[in-house]
Amino acid sequence: MPATTYAVSGMSCGHCEATLTKVIGELDGVSGVEVDLGNGHVTVTSAAEPEDALIAEVVDEAGYELTGRV
């Protein structure tokens, strides 16, 4: 399964990590989410190539900003 890493700004704590893991993990086709607070990265494992716009939308709705792929 492919893994895609995104840069996300605004993350600073365990609550941020839990929130993003939940909202991204609920998307169809997503099988795993790893949040690296230190680097500001979120790695998404999915069955197929993820839709960047859809991931950006749920990240933005959660109060963070997806700034692009790493």
Side-chain angles (χ1 to χ4, degrees), residues 22-48:
K22 180 181 185 302
V23 298
I24 297 170
E26 290 175 344
L27 296 174
D28 286 341
V30 173
S31 60
V33 179
E34 290 183 36
V35 178
D36 182 342
L37 294 174
N39 290 325
H41 294 164
V42 176
T43 301
V44 178
T45 304
S46 55

Side-chain angles (χ1 to χ4, degrees), residues 44-65:
V44 178
T45 304
S46 55
E49 187 71 19
E51 286 187 52
D52 292 349
L54 183 56
I55 292 176
E57 181 180 331
V58 298
V59 168
D60 289 346
E61 287 175 3
Y64 308 97
E65 182 183 5

Side-chain angles (χ1 to χ4, degrees), residues 11-27:
M11 302 184 302
S12 62
C13 64
H15 174 74
C16 301
E17 181 178 353
T19 299
L20 289 173
T21 299
K22 180 181 185 302
V23 298
I24 297 170
E26 290 175 344
L27 296 174

